[in-house]
Amino acid sequence: DSGVTQTPKHLITATGQRVTLRCSPRSGDLSVYWYQQSLDQGLQFLIQYYNGEERAKGNILERFSAQQFPDLHSELNLSSLELGDSALYFCASSAQGQGGYGYTFGSGTRLTVV
Amino acid sequence: SQQGEEDPQALSIQEGENATMNCSYKTSINNLQWYRQNSGRGLVHLILIRSNEREKHSGRLRVTLDTSKKSSSLLITASRAADTASYFCATLEAGSYQLTFGKGTKLSVIP
């Protein structure tokens, strides 16, 4: 157990639907990062939050949004889902606001859009 | 966008042999990190090397960094079947907050 908890582990949903992925960072970590992993694109950075504030944005679609709550857990909302959104979604956390000491990853949420 | 590019994409070796994976990147970095991912699982941080370091060791792992060539290598000595996984390099670009990952090297260690 890495200390980063992601739920659910698996999600199957239909095109056009909306889902919410949840992440609890390792205790004491203030930063949360979301990544999407697909076979053709590899690991793509989506968005980072640090202590409740958005810090950096990557290749995140407008249909996707995220937030970090006061208790530091984070949610990634994916809406108007398309077949191409099927992927593994990882959350990672770090103590500081950047990857200076490495990330701790959760086990991921496997999203299948049918 | 990918910053690091690992080479080779796939590597198959016998147990006990050494495995070497390479990573090239494009911009100035603060540090470079290597991660391991077992099939479909989360990534695990292996080792971090800062831009002012040239070599680092951790157990059976040895990482080198050549900033003039913008490249790094990960050597796993005396490999074991349990080392079978995908290995990713990740860079923290200067001025950036988040890591950029390569597409990984898939290592198979045959017992």
Side-chain angles (χ1 to χ4, degrees), chain A residues 35 37 40 44 99 103, chain B residues 2 33 35 37 97 99 103:
Chain A
Y35 283 81
Q37 185 179 37
D40 55 341
Q44 296 288 320
Y103 290 177
Chain B
Q2 304 307 124
Q33 304 175 28
Y35 288 78
Q37 183 182 31
Y97 292 111
L99 294 176
K103 290 198 173 183

Side-chain angles (χ1 to χ4, degrees), chain B residues 43-90:
Chain B
L43 283 77
V44 175
H45 181 258
L46 296 176
I47 195 166
L48 180 154
I49 186 165
R50 301 195 187 284
S51 60
N52 60 353
E53 297 174 314
R54 292 297 166 258
E55 188 171 312
K56 209 158 182 184
H57 297 254
S58 176
R60 293 185 296 113
L61 305 180
R62 173 181 168 247
V63 170
T64 62
L65 178 65
D66 187 335
T67 53
S68 66
K69 293 182 180 177
K70 292 187 169 56
S71 67
S72 172
S73 68
L74 171 68
L75 168 68
I76 304 174
T77 59
S79 62
R80 305 165 182 166
D83 295 328
T84 294
S86 291
Y87 292 81
F88 293 86
C89 73

Side-chain angles (χ1 to χ4, degrees), chain A residues 37 39 43, chain B residues 6 8-11 21 34-46 74 76 81-89 101-109:
Chain A
Q37 185 179 37
L39 282 174
L43 267 159
Chain B
E6 289 91 341
Q9 290 186 345
L11 180 60
M21 288 158 267
W34 286 89
Y35 288 78
R36 183 187 73 230
Q37 183 182 31
N38 290 87
S39 180
R41 312 267 315 255
L43 283 77
V44 175
H45 181 258
L46 296 176
L74 171 68
I76 304 174
D83 295 328
T84 294
S86 291
Y87 292 81
F88 293 86
C89 73
F101 286 82
K103 290 198 173 183
T105 292
K106 192 167 185 176
L107 173 66
S108 298
V109 181

Side-chain angles (χ1 to χ4, degrees), chain A residues 24-93:
Chain A
S24 293
R26 194 179 58 162
S27 178
D29 285 357
L30 299 179
S31 262
V32 168
Y33 310 80
W34 286 97
Y35 283 81
Q36 178 193 60
Q37 185 179 37
S38 58
L39 282 174
D40 55 341
Q41 292 294 318
L43 267 159
Q44 296 288 320
F45 170 69
L46 296 178
I47 198 164
Q48 178 202 357
Y49 281 83
Y50 176 73
N51 203 19
E53 300 287 328
E54 181 185 304
R55 172 158 281 194
K57 223 168 186 176
N59 300 320
I60 187 166
L61 301 171
E62 283 192 14
R63 301 181 286 108
F64 296 1
S65 65
Q67 54 184 326
Q68 186 179 29
F69 295 87
D71 66 352
L72 300 179
H73 91 271
S74 178
E75 292 182 356
L76 179 66
N77 301 296
L78 315 177
S79 61
S80 303
L81 285 166
E82 302 175 359
L83 296 177
D85 298 327
S86 295
L88 261 172
Y89 290 84
F90 286 107
C91 164
S93 70

